[in-house]
Amino acid sequence: MLKRMSLQNTRFFFTVLLALVAAIIMTLVCGTSVSAAKADYTNPDTGYYVLIEDDADLLTASEESELAYKMRSVTEYGNAVFKSIDYNPYYYTSTFAHEYYDELMGNKSGAVFLIDMDNRELYLEMDGAIYKKLREDKANTITDNTYSYASKGQYYLCANTAFEQVYQVLEGERIAQPMKYTCAALLAILVAFIFNFGLINRASKLKSASNNDLITSAVRTVTLSDTSARLVKESSRYSPVVTSSSGSSGYRSSGGSRSSGSYRSSGGGHRSSGGGHRGGGGGHRF
Amino acid sequence: MLSCPSCGGILRFEPHLQRIYCDNCRSNFAPEDYPNIKVAVEEKEISLERSYDESADYDVIRYTCPQCGGTILSYDDTAATFCSYCGSNAFIKGNLSQEKKPDTIIPFKLTKEDCEKKYRDSLTMKIFAPSKFKSSVTIDRFRGIYMPYWVYDFDINNKRLALTGSTETRNGDFITKKEYALSGTLDAHYAGISFDAASKFSDNLSMAIAPFNYKDATGFVPSYLLGFYADSGDVSHSTYSGDALNMAVDDLTTEFKRKPGFLGYGVSDTSQVTNALREQRTKPKIGMFPVWFLSTKVGKRISYAVVNGQTGKVAADIPVSPFKYLVWSLLLAIPLFLIFSSFCVLNPGRVLTLSLILTIASWVISSCQLRELYKRNHSLDDRGLQSMDAKHPHVTLVPNKVESSIAAGFFIFFGALLLMPFLGWITLIIALVICNALNSNSYKIKDTITGKVIKPKIPLKEKLPSYLKLGISVAASVIILFWTPVQDTIYYAGAALCIIMTILTYIDIIGQHNKLTTRELPQFNVRGGDRNA
Ligand SMILES: [Zn+2]
Ligand SMILES: [Zn+2]
């Protein structure tokens, strides 16, 4: 069965493989060219860089240089990028963040902090070592912790705090996420309430004996004697056996189930397609 | 009290020996050898000269509880210490009474120790039970009571049957149909289809410890009561005659077709057999069946535990201690917290949706409980009580097809919760569908006379609190989820509201559960002579 399936799908796999190879080459070429051109700082040990692209003009020149200095520490682990936009050609902030990341550095380790003024949304997109350490969970927490600065127009403070917390997590420090723990605790208590009540309800059901139990525990004798059976009538009628339905139902279900495995990152809401990076992130509106 | 002929000690029926036993000198006798009991009332010993097997009555002391009016029969003066029905400690002195002699008795097989062990075993899993229920002071009040049962017998003697049958066999493209004329003589005997005849013994408890094995039934002799108690019935024998007949009919229709003479001839018409059963309607016998009985007072209510004195089957109403429920829930919450905080991405919207789902789920539980309470309060599940009181509708409960066990529902529910990160909003819809299915009524009420289906009408006053809690949570959550405000605090406020409502609902749920597992203190009319029941 496996063999049959793979034969059927050979063409499909081949196409995907080609696309993958092409995409990898593309991203390698693009990634290197961008990074070489615009980096504000390059870490001499790791080769990772700091990049600030303030297209929406949210920061002053001095704020930019201060932020760039702050972001240097992150380059121990990956590229650190600040991006702000006035206009988002994609509908979702997460899509823009993902595409931008892809174009900029493919699947290299890094963190892009995006302020989307079009959607009024923050987004932290990551990949590589940084993604492995932070995941969607921490990205969400960081944007949760900083969105209020953006709401007040304090974009420098917002970006500054975000990169500070990224670095804190990378260094293995804890960042405050009080709401997360409070919510988890309260939900855990409620689920425990439900579960325990389920146990109680099960244990306290008084199960009635069935009619069959009642009758079998009574004393019961049924005897039949002097039986005779006489054939009165015998008739025959033509009724051809219908065979059509039995033959065709072979295996049909082998191919279908494979398509449902597409990966959907929970934080960002984008799909990582073909050659793109596999990281993810989290965001918050402001 | 019957004195030992050898030493004058106290005699009692010993379940393991199945004999009358003297603890003092260890002599023992067959119960049948002591048909005449000497009863001591008010310091005077009355010797009973009446020969037991010629009379329809026997003499015994009837104790009447001044609190509830419940009565209990015994030869033992310890009956005066407490009442098994209302739990009160005041029991007035008994009066000598002539009781209608039961036709048959199943003697106790389990001693008090056996019964207590069975009861304790059944409690081990009940970790939420108040400690009062596990204390030996409580358990010591188990009393062995012979409960009155209506025993229905059915007999078909030498019934000549003339039936038809037909079979069809396939041979290639042809079907051969054979028709037969069948005859035979049927003898069918059913003895001991039994239902409890005391209204104070709730049907849901008596059915839960049923069945009794009628093979052990023997002729009644008053000496079986030594060391035990008995109760007299008050439910009319016609109450269960229809049920008993239907049971016999259902069983016989499947049984006689399987007999060698008729097997394989495709008998379809069973009316001859069932009519033969319906024709004969004899008055049922009164049986005394052994039940270990325990009552525990819970505030102003009472909770019963019963153990089948023959088979050891236990049925107990065990309320929940709110304190234990809270402690165990908090303990369970610890691992759940670790799972939630380390494996789940909890953003504010998700937290709100989850708490809303949990609120809806608790509302479902609460409304299920309300319906159970309705059933209990209207004696819908108790044929005996229905027959006693004209107020109660005479109904049967027909289980609904959709009755999915709550436990199964919970598993689906938790499955849906796990899918939450992947499906988001769809989870809420799935949860709602499951809740709705669980919430659908688990039983239909059918009037036994008209055959009409009655809808349970729970008064709005009882339903309102739970609906209010649900309404507030749903309204707030839906507004927030559609409004999608920027501030997290609004989501958390919504979630907090849901959580508060859910906790309030759980307080209700535990209260409802404890109402379901306890009963009102009984109040029996002091009826003079309903010995004929
Ligand atoms: Zn003795
Ligand atoms: Zn009483």
Side-chain angles (χ1 to χ4, degrees), chain A residues 113 115 120-122 140-159 161-162 165 283-286, chain B residues 486-489:
Chain A
F113 187 71
I115 301 182
R120 293 195 62 83
E121 191 171 340
L122 304 177
N140 271 315
T141 309
I142 290 170
T143 50
D144 283 2
N145 291 346
T146 52
Y147 82 94
S148 55
Y149 295 121
S151 300
K152 289 180 237 163
Q154 298 165 327
Y155 301 107
Y156 166 71
L157 210 55
C158 174
T161 316
Q165 296 198 345
H284 202 294
R285 291 180 305 132
F286 59 88
Chain B
V486 163
Q487 291 88 345
D488 288 348
T489 40

Side-chain angles (χ1 to χ4, degrees), chain B residues 64-70 82-88 90-91 522 524:
Chain B
T64 308
C65 168
Q67 294 285 327
C68 70
F82 66 92
C83 169
S84 282
Y85 298 113
C86 71
S88 91
F91 226 177
F524 305 107

Side-chain angles (χ1 to χ4, degrees), chain A residues 98-124:
Chain A
H98 188 74
E99 295 299 323
Y100 176 75
Y101 193 107
D102 244 15
E103 199 181 304
L104 194 66
M105 49 191 157
N107 53 8
K108 282 189 182 165
S109 177
V112 170
F113 187 71
L114 170 71
I115 301 182
D116 178 356
M117 294 305 286
D118 200 3
N119 284 327
R120 293 195 62 83
E121 191 171 340
L122 304 177
Y123 204 88
L124 181 63

Side-chain angles (χ1 to χ4, degrees), chain A residues 110 126-136 263 278-281:
Chain A
M126 307 155 299
D127 204 344
I130 296 183
Y131 173 69
K132 278 200 186 102
K133 192 96 190 203
L134 273 79
R135 299 276 165 186
E136 284 84 1
Y263 168 75
R278 295 221 148 243

Side-chain angles (χ1 to χ4, degrees), chain A residues 119-120 135-141 143-148 150-151 177-243 262-268 281-286, chain B residues 126 128 160-161 168 170 172-193 204-205 207-208 210-215 247-248 251-252 255-256 259 261-262 265 313 315-317 320 325-326 328-330 332-333 336-337 340-341 344-346 348 350-351 354-355 358 361 365 369 406-407 410 413-414 417 484-488 491-492 499 502-503 506 509-510 513 519:
Chain A
N119 284 327
R120 293 195 62 83
R135 299 276 165 186
E136 284 84 1
D137 185 29
K138 289 289 190 310
N140 271 315
T141 309
T143 50
D144 283 2
N145 291 346
T146 52
Y147 82 94
S148 55
S151 300
Q177 30 190 357
M179 280 331 262
K180 182 188 158 177
Y181 290 118
T182 319
C183 291
L186 286 170
L187 288 174
I189 291 170
L190 289 193
V191 172
F193 272 159
I194 287 205
F195 188 85
N196 276 345
F197 187 75
L199 287 184
I200 290 169
N201 200 54
R202 241 185 108 78
S204 66
K205 272 262 149 68
L206 292 176
K207 211 171 173 297
S208 287
S210 68
N211 282 0
N212 191 49
D213 290 341
L214 290 178
I215 201 96
T216 47
S217 62
V219 175
R220 172 179 69 158
T221 47
V222 178
T223 49
L224 197 59
S225 51
D226 297 333
T227 54
S228 70
R230 188 162 51 84
L231 186 64
V232 189
K233 194 177 155 195
E234 186 169 351
S235 58
S236 224
R237 70 172 193 273
Y238 179 68
S239 163
V241 183
V242 184
T243 48
S262 69
Y263 168 75
R264 191 170 191 272
S265 107
S266 55
H284 202 294
R285 291 180 305 132
F286 59 88
Chain B
K126 295 187 173 162
F128 304 100
R160 194 71 197 150
L161 298 174
E168 287 193 350
R170 174 173 285 283
D173 280 351
F174 290 89
I175 293 174
T176 310
K177 187 179 180 185
K178 287 180 177 169
E179 286 170 45
Y180 301 95
L182 301 163
S183 65
T185 307
L186 180 71
D187 274 279
H189 303 281
Y190 288 87
I193 302 175
N204 48 23
L205 287 172
M207 286 307 273
F212 287 92
N213 197 335
Y214 197 66
K215 283 183 188 74
M247 266 184 210
D251 187 66
L252 191 57
E255 201 60 32
F256 88 95
K259 292 290 163 193
F262 284 172
Y265 290 110
K313 216 172 158 191
D317 278 335
V320 165
Y325 179 65
L326 189 68
W328 280 102
S329 296
L330 290 177
L332 177 65
L336 287 172
F337 167 74
F340 288 168
S341 55
C344 298
V345 180
L346 290 170
R350 209 167 274 172
V351 168
L354 271 174
S355 32
L358 293 168
I365 297 172
Q369 298 270 86
I406 299 251
F410 275 126
F413 190 80
F414 283 113
L417 285 190
T484 58
V486 163
Q487 291 88 345
D488 288 348
Y491 285 91
Y492 289 127
I499 287 166
T502 313
I503 289 173
Y506 275 100
I509 288 173
I510 293 302
H513 178 83
R519 288 147 211 266

Side-chain angles (χ1 to χ4, degrees), chain B residues 143-201:
Chain B
R143 234 173 209 178
I145 305 179
Y146 285 104
M147 281 292 178
Y149 273 71
W150 285 119
V151 179
Y152 298 83
D153 294 352
F154 297 96
D155 294 287
I156 296 179
N157 293 312
N158 289 321
K159 168 86 181 168
R160 194 71 197 150
L161 298 174
L163 302 166
T164 57
S166 69
T167 57
E168 287 193 350
T169 43
R170 174 173 285 283
N171 193 355
D173 280 351
F174 290 89
I175 293 174
T176 310
K177 187 179 180 185
K178 287 180 177 169
E179 286 170 45
Y180 301 95
L182 301 163
S183 65
T185 307
L186 180 71
D187 274 279
H189 303 281
Y190 288 87
I193 302 175
S194 41
F195 297 90
D196 90 274
S199 64
K200 61 187 107 161
F201 189 20

